[in-house]
Amino acid sequence: MLQYWTAILTEASIFAILALGIDMIWGWAGDFDLSAYAYFALGVYMTMVMTIGKPQAPVVYILGWHLPYPIAVVLAVIVVVAFASVVGAIALRSLREVHFSITTLGAVWAIYYAVENYTPLFNGYNGVYGLFDPLGGGLSYNSYHYLFLGFCLVVLFVVYLVVQRLSTSPFGRMVRAVRDDERAASVYGRNVFWAKYRTYLFGAGLAGLAGGLFAAYIGAFNPLDWKPTEIFVLYAAILVGGRGNPKGVVLGTFVVYVGFVEMTRYIPSPAARPELGPALRQILIGLLIVLMLKFRPSGLLPERLGNDGTVARRSWPERLFRTSPTEGDAVTSATAETGGEVAS
Amino acid sequence: MSIFWISLGQGLAVAAILALSSVAFTLEYAVSRVVNLAHGEVLTIGAFAAYVSETTFHQSIYVCALVATIFGSLAATAINFVVIERFRNQKSLATLIATLGASLVLQNLLLIIFGGASLSYTFSQGNLLHVGPFLWTTLTIEVMVSAVIVAILIYLLLQRTRLGKALRAVSQNRELSQVSGIPARAVVMQTWAVAGAISGFAGFLYGETVGTISPSIGNGFLLLSITAAVGGGLGRPYATLGGALVLGLVMSIAGTYVSSAYQLVIAFGFLVVMLLLKPNGMFVRGSAQMVRA
């Protein structure tokens, strides 16, 4: 039972990092990006081919290095960001909203089929596998996994702090201003493309980082593990938690992920119909997305906006010694009530 | 050189089906301003409805086509009624995400009902025929002829009927046409029914041409339909028709030189080039500018 929860929490914390990255692109900048799962997958692949060493006979993949794990993850993130900079440059330059989503949808399927069919890259359909232990052995199976869970939680916490800080920083507020009214933001001298582009690259980088962690966790990765449609779970999680609010995104990921994994345990999955469980899960995710969008688009923890429309930022003493609700709170609840406009 | 002509002939067949599918997609966009990501599932539903009526009820190929059309129409009307109309006053992106949810639900319902394995029709493929430089089966020719007939019917519907006139008015400005006495809601509903019928029929033709159907066939075809519609001119039926033919030819010509597994990669390259050069569509006048839907 303990191992079971260790596995679930490890995966949930890795996906929370990915969700934070996706939420930057969608929640802050308002760009509904469908290709983020490809960045995650690229992060996994790159980390693996840089740590597991030379490919054995029938298996082929690029690089095949034996780098220390942390260096491999950093390099993988750099590769992912470089890759996203190309897709982002195409998709963000002059395309918005639906056209942006279509372009990223095309991109993710193109990447998917290219990786699946072009074997020399990442061994195509069969995928890349290999045992690697970032700590170089010396620990039992269980204690390694407990330690890895702790490591993932620490990374998630650090990422959360950075994202939260960035969210309330002038940059975070500027990106939201661009999201809410591009024309007004550019009149005030903001470079709209540059704001969206930087957010996109940062989000993609977080997706790559999550991929780097996931690589160490699973040890084998093939195209079946990253059907681009899997990203919808994360969008459901972000919608449940609260789009644009890092705290909500982490909460949503844990609620949705743990909720769904727990629920699937009670769905009967007869041996003759192995697709039944996953299919029911996908149906629930689809319903969750539609219902959340319709009835509570701002999620459990809505994005907090100050009275001037920007993201509220209070200093620590203010938060500790606050006695009466501030103006900012009144506006926040007002935005929560008119939550229909949130999904832009 | 002969391989080139053979694959070009096959490409024409796929282009004909793609034309129907993407015109349906573009009609939905025209009246509802929504990129319907559940469009692929309407095709799949049509294909499976025909499958059931063939294997379980042993109907002829014509009855099967009719059943596919009817079920496609019902499915699209349901999508419009249950999802699209509920999100009408929200931004286009919210509707897009909602259709994505609908697509997940429908695709997995089909998966539960029919299982994940590939199924196939047992209609005869007919004889091999040499037509000019092309090599076609009787069935392929029937597919292309019926696609052309449907395209002509769409043209007549748009240009010669009251519904077509109302449809064009609603697609230009829903509020204004409502004020002018056009029952916009009903027109939108009928347009979805027509678009669904075309999609269901296209799904049947696709399943017949490819030979196998599975719950995910519509999904791959969705991306091609979107590419064709955006490349030609989103929301404009005739521009979309042209876009679909060009894309079909590009894919089949490229398909002779690289593996057909890269079909979607080629389609994506086409989409990117079109979006960068002519973001409003290649058959729509107007310069490259910011595109927002």
Side-chain angles (χ1 to χ4, degrees):
Chain A
M1 200 59 195
L2 195 58
Q3 285 158 343
Y4 170 76
W5 280 103
T6 312
I8 287 184
L9 290 178
T10 309
E11 286 182 21
S13 49
I14 292 172
F15 283 122
I17 296 171
L18 176 57
L20 282 172
I22 295 175
D23 181 57
M24 285 185 74
I25 300 171
W26 182 43
W28 304 11
D31 301 315
F32 190 70
D33 174 49
L34 289 165
S35 60
Y37 221 71
Y39 304 144
F40 173 73
L42 195 62
V44 178
Y45 277 128
M46 287 311 295
T47 309
M48 292 192 79
V49 296
M50 286 193 281
T51 45
I52 57 178
K54 285 258 170 289
Q56 303 292 323
V59 181
V60 277
Y61 46 80
I62 53 167
L63 301 180
W65 293 344
H66 244 314
L67 294 178
Y69 178 66
I71 298 174
V73 172
V74 171
L75 287 177
V77 170
I78 291 172
V79 170
V80 168
V81 170
F83 195 81
S85 69
V86 178
V87 177
I90 295 170
L92 282 171
R93 175 64 69 184
S94 61
L95 306 173
R96 291 292 180 268
E97 299 193 356
V98 171
H99 283 80
F100 172 85
S101 301
I102 291 172
T103 313
T104 53
L105 180 71
V108 70
W109 282 106
I111 297 166
Y112 186 80
Y113 281 103
V115 167
E116 189 179 88
N117 290 298
Y118 187 65
T119 320
L121 195 58
F122 298 122
N123 200 27
Y125 191 74
N126 292 316
V128 178
Y129 48 88
L131 280 175
F132 73 99
D133 186 344
L135 297 173
L139 276 176
S140 73
Y141 179 84
N142 274 346
S143 39
Y144 169 72
H145 277 89
Y146 297 148
L147 198 68
F148 190 68
L149 168 62
F151 177 63
C152 288
L153 287 173
V154 169
V155 175
L156 170 62
F157 187 63
V158 172
V159 166
Y160 166 75
L161 285 184
V162 172
V163 169
Q164 178 69 47
R165 185 83 188 166
L166 208 57
S167 172
T168 52
S169 73
F171 172 75
R173 285 176 287 170
M174 185 262 286
V175 171
R176 287 178 171 89
V178 167
R179 172 194 71 192
D180 291 339
D181 194 335
E182 260 178 46
R183 197 165 294 166
S186 70
V187 166
Y188 278 92
R190 305 289 181 250
N191 186 335
V192 170
F193 169 72
W194 187 231
K196 281 177 174 289
Y197 195 53
R198 275 190 292 171
T199 320
Y200 192 76
L201 295 188
F202 203 99
L206 285 183
L209 175 66
L213 289 175
F214 201 63
Y217 173 68
I218 52 163
F221 201 64
N222 66 49
L224 278 181
D225 292 324
W226 62 284
K227 284 295 253 186
T229 44
E230 292 290 320
I231 199 175
F232 305 148
V233 189
L234 292 161
Y235 274 113
I238 293 171
L239 266 171
V240 167
R243 174 178 173 240
N245 181 343
K247 209 174 287 171
V249 170
V250 175
L251 175 76
T253 315
F254 275 86
V255 167
V256 167
Y257 195 77
V258 174
F260 271 111
V261 174
E262 277 290 286
M263 202 146 51
T264 13
R265 288 171 66 201
Y266 299 104
I267 296 174
S269 188
R273 301 289 304 276
E275 75 280 357
L276 192 65
L280 279 172
R281 205 181 81 126
Q282 295 274 0
I283 289 177
L284 286 173
I285 290 165
L287 286 176
L288 192 63
I289 289 176
V290 175
L291 295 177
M292 282 306 290
L293 262 181
K294 183 64 202 158
F295 296 108
R296 198 172 164 81
S298 49
L300 293 174
L301 299 175
E303 185 176 38
R304 297 181 70 88
L305 295 174
N307 51 1
D308 53 351
T310 56
V311 180
R313 182 175 195 180
R314 289 193 202 88
S315 64
W316 279 103
E318 263 181 313
R319 272 187 249 176
L320 284 174
F321 301 113
R322 194 172 45 140
T323 46
S324 60
T326 57
E327 275 179 279
D329 276 339
V331 176
T332 309
S333 53
T335 12
E337 278 156 25
T338 58
E341 61 183 355
V342 167
S344 59
Chain B
M1 203 55 194
S2 68
I3 292 176
F4 175 81
W5 287 110
I6 290 169
S7 65
L8 193 64
Q10 209 56 42
L12 278 176
V14 174
I17 303 168
L18 184 59
L20 295 187
S21 165
S22 49
V23 165
F25 179 81
T26 234
L27 282 177
E28 292 164 358
Y29 182 86
V31 292
S32 294
R33 296 284 144 193
V34 52
V35 167
N36 177 19
L37 292 184
H39 172 73
E41 275 58 49
V42 180
L43 270 89
T44 320
I45 287 173
F48 272 103
Y51 175 80
V52 170
S53 69
E54 194 218 348
T55 50
T56 314
F57 300 104
H58 307 289
Q59 299 297 330
S60 73
I61 190 164
Y62 303 106
V63 177
C64 288
L66 188 66
V67 169
T69 311
I70 292 169
F71 271 81
S73 179
L74 289 176
T77 317
I79 289 172
N80 180 42
F81 187 73
V82 176
V83 182
I84 313 278
E85 283 289 310
R86 311 264 167 238
F87 284 87
R88 199 163 75 73
N89 296 320
Q90 301 207 13
K91 291 186 178 165
S92 56
L93 204 50
T95 326
L96 175 125
I97 301 169
T99 60
L100 199 135
S103 152
L104 273 186
V105 172
L106 287 176
Q107 190 180 341
N108 287 288
L109 275 179
L110 287 170
L111 187 61
I112 288 176
I113 299 170
F114 294 100
S118 292
L119 306 168
S120 54
Y121 300 121
T122 49
F123 299 120
S124 149
Q125 288 284 322
N127 308 314
L128 274 177
L129 294 173
H130 286 275
V131 185
F134 302 119
L135 182 65
W136 283 323
T137 64
T138 327
L139 191 78
T140 322
I141 294 175
E142 281 172 11
V143 163
M144 286 188 292
V145 169
S146 56
V148 171
I149 292 173
V150 172
I152 292 170
L153 287 177
I154 296 169
Y155 169 80
L156 291 177
L157 173 82
L158 285 176
Q159 300 297 343
R160 297 291 157 85
T161 64
R162 274 178 77 84
L163 174 63
K165 211 172 186 176
L167 193 160
R168 284 181 286 141
V170 170
S171 81
Q172 277 177 15
N173 191 328
R174 183 164 172 163
E175 275 71 34
L176 209 57
S177 54
Q178 178 93 53
V179 173
S180 319
I182 298 170
R185 204 179 139 80
V187 170
V188 170
M189 213 46 133
Q190 287 161 13
T191 307
W192 276 79
V194 169
I198 301 167
S199 316
F201 186 62
F204 171 63
L205 293 186
Y206 185 65
E208 212 177 42
T209 313
V210 174
T212 58
I213 57 172
S214 73
S216 56
I217 54 160
N219 216 11
F221 215 64
L222 166 74
L223 200 66
L224 297 184
S225 307
I226 293 178
T227 306
V230 173
L234 192 56
R236 317 222 177 181
Y238 306 130
T240 300
L241 212 60
L245 290 179
V246 172
L247 176 65
L249 291 182
V250 166
M251 282 196 311
S252 63
I253 292 170
T256 43
Y257 300 108
V258 294
S259 157
S260 63
Y262 295 108
Q263 209 183 36
L264 279 178
V265 183
I266 296 163
F268 173 67
F270 180 78
L271 177 68
V272 166
V273 171
M274 286 321 300
L275 282 174
L276 291 179
L277 298 181
K278 294 275 290 177
N280 290 315
M282 68 177 115
F283 296 111
V284 176
R285 246 174 269 158
S287 59
Q289 48 179 299
M290 198 71 96
V291 175
R292 21 183 109 246

